[in-house]
Amino acid sequence: MTNLINKYLDNRNTKLFNDLSNKFKIDLFKIEEPAPVGREYIWQCLQIGTDQFRVSYYTDIDSTASFTHELLHIDLIGKGFSSFSEILPYISEGDKNLLFQPIIGHICNIYAHPKFYQYFIDLGYKNHEFLTDYNDKLKVDDIISNINFQFDTLGLPNKGIWHYITSFYTAKDNRNPEKEVECVTLLRFLQSKDPILFNILDNNWNSWISSKRVESKEFILHLFDQTEKWNSGRTGR
């Protein structure tokens, strides 16, 4: 375990790792099973209890950037950001569960990014190293088809709604100038598809990124409440 972690430490992130190790137990694992298509270079971090984190990845890389990215997630949680594990119990029943459980990890992940992006840059990393999917093409036509396939049907679960919400945050999280046109196109489609849901997501996101706070639970639970009300209104319940 120590040798594996040492592979991903250098003069930019060693102090951060040592500081976090004084407060948390951090394990690093290479996932041995084949990666899902398109997720070969994904890294992930799971909080276990209050003081343990499990960082895992599928594919070895030469850069320390992805490990540092996960360390900054841990650092942010230590400062009060609510992880997937903390939010999950609040949506364990009823419509909230059906609306959000498959995508809660995606939402929490992206809400963290603007709160530690500058720290990542200040450590000496480059903008293009922040996200492993930086150069992945944004397949707008496919995304729109996935949304349209089920979005307008009533009842839950609804994969169209999941695609709508995750696509919104993927576009907001983009840091590649070459994909900006595609992101604008996607956001315009989302706004025209359902202006009410778009405004719920957009207003909450703008409030979050303009706030100096890192405690995310209030923002995320408010987002869930507003979206649940939107869904109840459209289904007539």
Side-chain angles (χ1 to χ4, degrees):
M1 181 64 63
T2 300
N3 290 336
L4 185 59
I5 288 178
N6 286 340
K7 178 179 179 179
Y8 294 104
L9 294 178
D10 62 20
N11 64 322
R12 294 171 293 181
N13 65 359
T14 296
K15 182 179 184 304
L16 172 65
F17 173 75
N18 288 338
D19 289 345
L20 290 173
S21 295
N22 288 331
K23 296 182 283 187
F24 307 111
K25 184 178 188 299
I26 302 172
D27 297 321
L28 177 62
F29 294 89
K30 184 179 186 300
I31 303 171
E32 298 301 332
E33 63 188 53
V37 176
R39 297 182 61 85
E40 293 84 359
Y41 295 98
I42 293 294
W43 283 55
Q44 52 199 16
C45 178
L46 178 65
Q47 184 176 12
I48 304 171
T50 58
D51 60 357
Q52 184 176 355
F53 293 87
R54 179 176 182 143
V55 179
S56 56
Y57 64 93
Y58 288 101
T59 305
D60 286 320
I61 57 174
D62 294 328
S63 171
T64 67
S66 292
F67 184 50
T68 301
H69 181 113
E70 301 307 322
L71 291 178
L72 290 172
H73 272 289
I74 296 170
D75 180 62
L76 195 67
I77 291 170
K79 294 174 180 175
F81 185 87
S82 294
S83 68
F84 163 87
S85 303
E86 183 179 349
I87 295 293
L88 188 59
Y90 290 93
I91 59 165
S92 60
E93 296 179 357
D95 283 354
K96 281 189 182 139
N97 178 50
L98 294 172
L99 269 171
F100 298 111
Q101 188 157 339
I103 60 174
I104 182 177
H106 181 81
I107 294 171
C108 290
N109 181 51
I110 289 182
Y111 264 64
H113 288 170
K115 298 299 182 177
F116 66 72
Y117 170 77
Q118 190 58 49
Y119 192 173
F120 181 87
I121 298 300
D122 291 344
L123 286 173
Y125 294 98
K126 304 298 183 183
N127 174 62
H128 71 270
E129 297 178 293
F130 188 68
L131 299 174
T132 57
D133 61 357
Y134 180 86
N135 289 315
D136 290 357
K137 292 187 178 299
L138 194 64
K139 300 177 181 178
V140 176
D141 289 342
D142 290 346
I143 293 171
I144 290 174
S145 295
N146 287 332
I147 293 170
N148 282 332
F149 180 71
Q150 193 179 6
F151 185 90
D152 293 321
T153 62
L154 302 181
L156 297 172
N158 186 311
K159 291 183 179 180
I161 295 175
W162 297 343
H163 283 297
Y164 185 109
I165 294 174
T166 57
S167 297
F168 173 89
Y169 289 114
T170 296
K172 290 294 185 178
D173 199 37
N174 172 59
R175 299 179 188 278
N176 185 342
E178 294 183 2
K179 295 196 288 188
E180 189 62 27
V181 172
E182 289 86 350
C183 288
V184 170
T185 299
L186 177 57
L187 289 169
R188 285 176 177 168
F189 164 77
L190 297 176
Q191 188 172 29
S192 65
K193 180 68 178 178
D194 195 300
I196 296 175
L197 179 56
F198 183 89
N199 286 338
I200 290 170
L201 302 179
D202 199 48
N203 290 340
N204 191 280
W205 176 255
N206 289 334
S207 295
W208 170 243
I209 63 173
S210 65
S211 171
K212 295 182 179 180
R213 295 172 55 191
V214 298
E215 299 87 358
S216 60
K217 183 167 67 175
E218 175 185 332
F219 290 88
I220 292 177
L221 294 184
H222 181 68
L223 170 70
F224 291 169
D225 286 340
Q226 291 296 304
T227 307
E228 185 184 31
K229 290 176 182 176
W230 162 83
N231 182 63
S232 296
R234 81 187 191 102
T235 57
R237 290 197 307 273

Coordinates of all heavy atoms in Angstrom, one line a residue, residues 70-128:
E70 N -8.0 13.6 -5.9 CA -8.8 12.9 -4.8 C -8.4 13.3 -3.4 O -9.3 13.4 -2.5 CB -8.6 11.4 -5.0 CG -9.0 10.8 -6.3 CD -10.4 11.2 -6.7 OE1 -11.3 11.2 -5.8 OE2 -10.7 11.5 -7.9
L71 N -7.1 13.6 -3.2 CA -6.7 14.2 -1.9 C -7.4 15.5 -1.6 O -7.8 15.7 -0.5 CB -5.2 14.4 -1.9 CG -4.3 13.2 -1.9 CD1 -2.8 13.6 -1.9 CD2 -4.6 12.3 -0.7
L72 N -7.6 16.3 -2.6 CA -8.3 17.6 -2.4 C -9.8 17.4 -2.1 O -10.4 18.1 -1.4 CB -8.1 18.5 -3.6 CG -6.7 19.0 -3.8 CD1 -6.5 19.7 -5.1 CD2 -6.3 19.9 -2.6
H73 N -10.4 16.3 -2.7 CA -11.8 15.9 -2.3 C -11.8 15.6 -0.8 O -12.7 16.1 0.0 CB -12.3 14.7 -3.0 CG -12.9 15.0 -4.3 ND1 -14.2 15.6 -4.4 CD2 -12.5 14.8 -5.6 CE1 -14.5 15.8 -5.7 NE2 -13.5 15.3 -6.4
I74 N -10.8 14.8 -0.3 CA -10.7 14.5 1.1 C -10.5 15.7 2.0 O -11.2 15.9 3.0 CB -9.6 13.4 1.3 CG1 -9.9 12.1 0.6 CG2 -9.4 13.2 2.8 CD1 -8.7 11.2 0.5
D75 N -9.6 16.6 1.5 CA -9.4 17.8 2.3 C -10.6 18.6 2.4 O -10.9 19.2 3.5 CB -8.3 18.6 1.5 CG -7.9 19.9 2.2 OD1 -7.4 19.9 3.4 OD2 -8.1 21.0 1.6
L76 N -11.4 18.7 1.3 CA -12.6 19.5 1.4 C -13.7 18.9 2.3 O -14.3 19.6 3.1 CB -13.2 19.6 0.0 CG -14.3 20.7 -0.2 CD1 -13.7 22.1 -0.1 CD2 -15.0 20.6 -1.6
I77 N -13.8 17.6 2.3 CA -14.7 16.9 3.3 C -14.2 17.2 4.7 O -15.1 17.4 5.6 CB -14.7 15.4 3.0 CG1 -15.4 15.2 1.6 CG2 -15.4 14.7 4.1 CD1 -15.3 13.7 1.1
G78 N -12.9 17.2 4.9 CA -12.4 17.5 6.2 C -12.8 18.9 6.7 O -12.8 19.2 7.9
K79 N -13.0 19.8 5.7 CA -13.4 21.2 6.1 C -14.9 21.4 6.2 O -15.3 22.5 6.4 CB -12.8 22.1 5.0 CG -11.3 22.2 5.0 CD -10.8 23.0 3.8 CE -9.2 23.0 3.8 NZ -8.7 23.7 2.6
G80 N -15.7 20.4 5.9 CA -17.1 20.5 6.1 C -18.0 20.1 4.9 O -19.2 20.2 5.0
F81 N -17.4 19.9 3.7 CA -18.2 19.5 2.6 C -18.8 18.1 2.8 O -18.2 17.2 3.4 CB -17.2 19.4 1.4 CG -18.0 19.1 0.1 CD1 -18.5 20.1 -0.7 CD2 -18.1 17.8 -0.4 CE1 -19.1 19.9 -1.9 CE2 -18.8 17.5 -1.6 CZ -19.3 18.6 -2.3
S82 N -20.0 17.9 2.4 CA -20.8 16.7 2.6 C -20.5 15.7 1.5 O -20.8 16.0 0.4 CB -22.3 16.9 2.8 OG -22.5 17.7 3.9
S83 N -20.0 14.5 1.9 CA -19.7 13.5 0.9 C -21.0 12.8 0.5 O -22.0 12.9 1.1 CB -18.7 12.5 1.4 OG -19.3 11.8 2.5
F84 N -20.8 12.0 -0.6 CA -21.9 11.1 -1.0 C -22.5 10.3 0.2 O -23.7 10.2 0.3 CB -21.4 10.2 -2.1 CG -22.2 8.9 -2.4 CD1 -23.2 9.0 -3.3 CD2 -21.9 7.7 -1.7 CE1 -24.0 7.9 -3.6 CE2 -22.7 6.6 -2.0 CZ -23.7 6.7 -2.9
S85 N -21.6 9.8 1.0 CA -22.0 8.9 2.1 C -22.9 9.7 3.1 O -23.8 9.1 3.7 CB -20.8 8.3 2.8 OG -20.0 7.6 1.9
E86 N -22.6 11.0 3.3 CA -23.3 11.8 4.3 C -24.7 12.2 3.7 O -25.7 12.2 4.5 CB -22.5 13.0 4.7 CG -23.2 13.9 5.7 CD -22.5 15.1 6.1 OE1 -21.3 15.2 5.7 OE2 -23.0 16.0 6.8
I87 N -24.8 12.4 2.4 CA -26.0 12.9 1.8 C -27.0 11.7 1.6 O -28.2 11.9 1.7 CB -25.7 13.6 0.5 CG1 -24.9 14.9 0.7 CG2 -27.0 13.9 -0.3 CD1 -25.7 16.0 1.4
L88 N -26.5 10.6 1.3 CA -27.3 9.4 0.9 C -28.5 9.2 1.9 O -29.6 8.9 1.4 CB -26.4 8.2 0.8 CG -27.1 7.0 0.2 CD1 -27.7 7.3 -1.2 CD2 -26.2 5.8 0.1
P89 N -28.3 9.2 3.2 CA -29.5 8.9 4.1 C -30.6 9.9 3.9 O -31.8 9.5 4.3 CB -28.8 9.0 5.5 CG -27.4 8.7 5.3 CD -27.1 9.3 4.0
Y90 N -30.4 11.1 3.5 CA -31.4 12.1 3.3 C -32.3 11.8 2.1 O -33.4 12.4 2.0 CB -30.8 13.5 3.2 CG -30.2 14.0 4.4 CD1 -28.8 13.8 4.7 CD2 -30.9 14.6 5.4 CE1 -28.2 14.2 5.8 CE2 -30.3 15.1 6.6 CZ -29.0 14.9 6.8 OH -28.4 15.3 7.9
I91 N -31.9 10.9 1.3 CA -32.8 10.6 0.1 C -33.0 9.1 0.0 O -33.1 8.5 -1.1 CB -32.1 11.1 -1.2 CG1 -30.7 10.4 -1.4 CG2 -32.0 12.6 -1.2 CD1 -30.2 10.6 -2.8
S92 N -33.2 8.4 1.1 CA -33.3 7.0 1.2 C -34.7 6.5 1.0 O -34.9 5.2 0.9 CB -32.7 6.4 2.5 OG -33.5 7.0 3.6
E93 N -35.7 7.3 0.9 CA -37.0 6.9 0.8 C -37.8 7.7 -0.3 O -37.5 8.8 -0.6 CB -37.8 7.0 2.1 CG -37.2 6.2 3.2 CD -38.0 6.4 4.5 OE1 -38.9 7.2 4.6 OE2 -37.6 5.7 5.5
G94 N -38.8 7.1 -0.9 CA -39.8 7.7 -1.7 C -39.2 8.3 -3.0 O -38.2 7.8 -3.5
D95 N -39.8 9.4 -3.4 CA -39.4 10.0 -4.7 C -38.0 10.5 -4.7 O -37.3 10.5 -5.8 CB -40.3 11.2 -5.1 CG -41.7 10.7 -5.6 OD1 -41.8 9.5 -5.8 OD2 -42.6 11.5 -5.8
K96 N -37.5 11.0 -3.6 CA -36.1 11.5 -3.6 C -35.1 10.4 -3.9 O -34.2 10.6 -4.7 CB -35.8 12.1 -2.2 CG -36.3 13.5 -1.9 CD -35.8 14.0 -0.7 CE -36.3 15.4 -0.4 NZ -36.7 15.7 0.9
N97 N -35.4 9.2 -3.4 CA -34.6 8.1 -3.7 C -34.6 7.7 -5.2 O -33.6 7.5 -5.8 CB -35.0 6.8 -2.9 CG -34.2 5.6 -3.2 OD1 -33.0 5.6 -3.1 ND2 -34.9 4.5 -3.5
L98 N -35.8 7.7 -5.8 CA -35.9 7.4 -7.2 C -35.4 8.5 -8.1 O -34.9 8.2 -9.2 CB -37.4 7.1 -7.5 CG -38.0 5.9 -6.8 CD1 -39.5 5.8 -7.1 CD2 -37.3 4.6 -7.3
L99 N -35.5 9.7 -7.6 CA -35.0 10.8 -8.5 C -33.5 10.9 -8.4 O -32.8 11.2 -9.5 CB -35.6 12.2 -7.9 CG -36.9 12.7 -8.5 CD1 -37.4 13.9 -7.7 CD2 -36.7 13.0 -10.0
F100 N -32.8 10.7 -7.3 CA -31.4 11.1 -7.1 C -30.4 10.0 -6.8 O -29.2 10.2 -7.1 CB -31.3 12.1 -6.0 CG -32.1 13.4 -6.3 CD1 -33.2 13.7 -5.6 CD2 -31.7 14.2 -7.3 CE1 -33.9 14.9 -5.9 CE2 -32.4 15.4 -7.6 CZ -33.5 15.7 -6.9
Q101 N -30.8 8.8 -6.3 CA -29.8 7.9 -5.8 C -28.8 7.5 -6.9 O -27.6 7.5 -6.6 CB -30.5 6.7 -5.2 CG -29.4 5.8 -4.5 CD -30.0 4.9 -3.4 OE1 -31.1 5.2 -2.9 NE2 -29.3 3.8 -3.1
P102 N -29.2 7.3 -8.1 CA -28.2 6.9 -9.1 C -27.2 8.0 -9.5 O -26.2 7.7 -10.1 CB -29.0 6.4 -10.3 CG -30.4 6.2 -9.8 CD -30.6 7.1 -8.7
I103 N -27.6 9.2 -9.2 CA -26.8 10.4 -9.7 C -26.2 11.2 -8.6 O -25.6 12.2 -8.8 CB -27.6 11.3 -10.7 CG1 -28.8 11.8 -10.0 CG2 -27.9 10.5 -11.9 CD1 -29.6 12.8 -10.9
I104 N -26.5 10.8 -7.3 CA -26.0 11.7 -6.2 C -24.5 11.8 -6.2 O -24.0 12.9 -5.8 CB -26.6 11.1 -4.9 CG1 -26.2 12.1 -3.7 CG2 -26.2 9.7 -4.6 CD1 -26.8 11.6 -2.4
G105 N -23.8 10.7 -6.5 CA -22.4 10.8 -6.5 C -21.9 11.8 -7.5 O -20.9 12.5 -7.2
H106 N -22.5 11.8 -8.7 CA -22.1 12.7 -9.7 C -22.3 14.2 -9.3 O -21.4 15.0 -9.5 CB -22.9 12.5 -11.0 CG -22.6 13.3 -12.2 ND1 -21.5 13.1 -13.0 CD2 -23.2 14.4 -12.6 CE1 -21.5 14.0 -13.9 NE2 -22.5 14.9 -13.7
I107 N -23.4 14.4 -8.6 CA -23.7 15.8 -8.2 C -22.7 16.2 -7.1 O -22.2 17.3 -7.2 CB -25.2 15.9 -7.7 CG1 -26.2 15.6 -8.8 CG2 -25.4 17.2 -7.0 CD1 -27.6 15.5 -8.4
C108 N -22.5 15.4 -6.1 CA -21.6 15.7 -5.0 C -20.2 16.0 -5.5 O -19.5 16.9 -5.1 CB -21.6 14.7 -3.9 SG -23.1 14.6 -3.0
N109 N -19.8 15.1 -6.5 CA -18.5 15.2 -7.1 C -18.3 16.6 -7.7 O -17.3 17.3 -7.5 CB -18.3 14.1 -8.1 CG -16.9 14.1 -8.7 OD1 -15.9 14.2 -8.0 ND2 -16.8 14.1 -10.0
I110 N -19.2 17.0 -8.5 CA -19.0 18.2 -9.3 C -19.2 19.5 -8.4 O -18.6 20.5 -8.6 CB -20.0 18.3 -10.5 CG1 -19.5 17.2 -11.5 CG2 -20.1 19.7 -11.1 CD1 -20.3 17.1 -12.8
Y111 N -20.1 19.4 -7.4 CA -20.2 20.5 -6.4 C -18.9 20.8 -5.7 O -18.6 21.9 -5.3 CB -21.3 20.2 -5.4 CG -22.6 20.9 -5.8 CD1 -23.3 20.5 -7.0 CD2 -23.2 21.9 -5.1 CE1 -24.5 21.1 -7.4 CE2 -24.4 22.5 -5.5 CZ -25.0 22.1 -6.7 OH -26.2 22.7 -7.1
A112 N -18.1 19.7 -5.5 CA -16.8 19.9 -4.9 C -15.8 20.7 -5.7 O -14.9 21.4 -5.2 CB -16.2 18.6 -4.4
H113 N -15.8 20.5 -7.0 CA -14.7 20.9 -7.9 C -14.4 22.4 -7.8 O -13.3 22.8 -7.7 CB -15.0 20.5 -9.3 CG -14.8 19.0 -9.5 ND1 -15.2 18.4 -10.7 CD2 -14.3 18.1 -8.7 CE1 -14.9 17.1 -10.6 NE2 -14.4 16.9 -9.4
P114 N -15.4 23.3 -7.9 CA -15.1 24.7 -7.9 C -14.5 25.2 -6.5 O -13.8 26.3 -6.5 CB -16.4 25.5 -8.1 CG -17.5 24.5 -7.8 CD -16.9 23.1 -8.1
K115 N -14.7 24.4 -5.5 CA -14.2 24.8 -4.2 C -12.7 24.4 -4.0 O -12.1 24.9 -3.0 CB -15.0 24.1 -3.1 CG -16.5 24.6 -3.1 CD -16.6 26.1 -2.9 CE -18.1 26.4 -2.9 NZ -18.3 27.9 -2.6
F116 N -12.1 23.5 -4.8 CA -10.7 23.3 -4.7 C -9.9 23.4 -6.0 O -8.7 23.1 -6.0 CB -10.5 21.9 -4.0 CG -10.9 20.7 -4.8 CD1 -10.2 20.2 -5.9 CD2 -12.0 19.9 -4.3 CE1 -10.5 19.1 -6.6 CE2 -12.3 18.7 -5.0 CZ -11.6 18.3 -6.1
Y117 N -10.5 23.8 -7.0 CA -9.8 23.9 -8.3 C -8.6 24.9 -8.2 O -7.5 24.5 -8.6 CB -10.7 24.5 -9.4 CG -10.0 24.9 -10.7 CD1 -9.6 23.9 -11.6 CD2 -9.8 26.2 -11.0 CE1 -8.9 24.2 -12.7 CE2 -9.1 26.6 -12.1 CZ -8.7 25.6 -13.0 OH -8.0 25.9 -14.1
Q118 N -8.8 26.0 -7.5 CA -7.6 26.9 -7.4 C -6.5 26.4 -6.6 O -5.3 26.6 -6.9 CB -8.1 28.3 -6.9 CG -7.0 29.4 -7.0 CD -6.6 29.6 -8.4 OE1 -7.4 29.8 -9.3 NE2 -5.3 29.6 -8.6
Y119 N -6.9 25.6 -5.5 CA -5.8 25.0 -4.7 C -5.0 24.0 -5.6 O -3.8 24.0 -5.5 CB -6.6 24.2 -3.6 CG -5.7 23.7 -2.4 CD1 -6.3 23.1 -1.3 CD2 -4.3 23.8 -2.5 CE1 -5.5 22.7 -0.3 CE2 -3.5 23.3 -1.5 CZ -4.2 22.7 -0.3 OH -3.4 22.2 0.7
F120 N -5.7 23.3 -6.4 CA -5.0 22.3 -7.4 C -4.0 23.1 -8.2 O -2.9 22.6 -8.4 CB -6.1 21.7 -8.2 CG -5.6 20.7 -9.2 CD1 -5.4 19.3 -8.9 CD2 -5.4 21.0 -10.5 CE1 -5.0 18.4 -9.8 CE2 -4.9 20.1 -11.5 CZ -4.7 18.8 -11.1
I121 N -4.5 24.2 -8.8 CA -3.6 25.0 -9.6 C -2.4 25.6 -8.8 O -1.3 25.6 -9.3 CB -4.4 26.2 -10.3 CG1 -5.5 25.6 -11.2 CG2 -3.4 27.1 -11.1 CD1 -5.0 24.7 -12.4
D122 N -2.7 26.0 -7.6 CA -1.7 26.6 -6.8 C -0.6 25.6 -6.4 O 0.6 26.0 -6.1 CB -2.3 27.2 -5.5 CG -3.1 28.5 -5.8 OD1 -3.0 29.0 -6.9 OD2 -3.9 28.9 -4.9
L123 N -1.0 24.3 -6.4 CA 0.0 23.3 -6.0 C 1.0 23.1 -7.2 O 2.0 22.4 -7.0 CB -0.7 22.0 -5.7 CG -1.4 21.9 -4.4 CD1 -2.2 20.6 -4.3 CD2 -0.4 22.0 -3.2
G124 N 0.7 23.6 -8.4 CA 1.6 23.5 -9.5 C 1.1 22.7 -10.6 O 1.8 22.4 -11.6
Y125 N -0.2 22.2 -10.6 CA -0.7 21.4 -11.7 C -1.3 22.3 -12.7 O -1.6 23.5 -12.5 CB -1.8 20.5 -11.1 CG -1.2 19.4 -10.2 CD1 -1.2 19.6 -8.8 CD2 -0.6 18.3 -10.7 CE1 -0.6 18.7 -7.9 CE2 0.0 17.3 -9.8 CZ 0.0 17.5 -8.5 OH 0.5 16.6 -7.6
K126 N -1.6 21.7 -13.9 CA -2.1 22.5 -15.0 C -3.7 22.3 -15.1 O -4.2 21.2 -14.7 CB -1.5 22.0 -16.3 CG 0.0 22.1 -16.3 CD 0.5 23.6 -16.1 CE 2.0 23.7 -16.2 NZ 2.5 25.1 -16.0
N127 N -4.3 23.2 -15.8 CA -5.8 23.1 -15.9 C -6.2 21.8 -16.6 O -7.2 21.2 -16.1 CB -6.2 24.3 -16.8 CG -7.7 24.3 -17.1 OD1 -8.6 24.3 -16.3 ND2 -8.0 24.2 -18.4
H128 N -5.5 21.4 -17.6 CA -5.9 20.2 -18.3 C -5.7 18.9 -17.5 O -6.2 17.9 -17.9 CB -5.1 20.0 -19.6 CG -3.7 19.7 -19.5 ND1 -2.7 20.6 -19.4 CD2 -3.0 18.5 -19.4 CE1 -1.5 20.1 -19.2 NE2 -1.7 18.7 -19.3

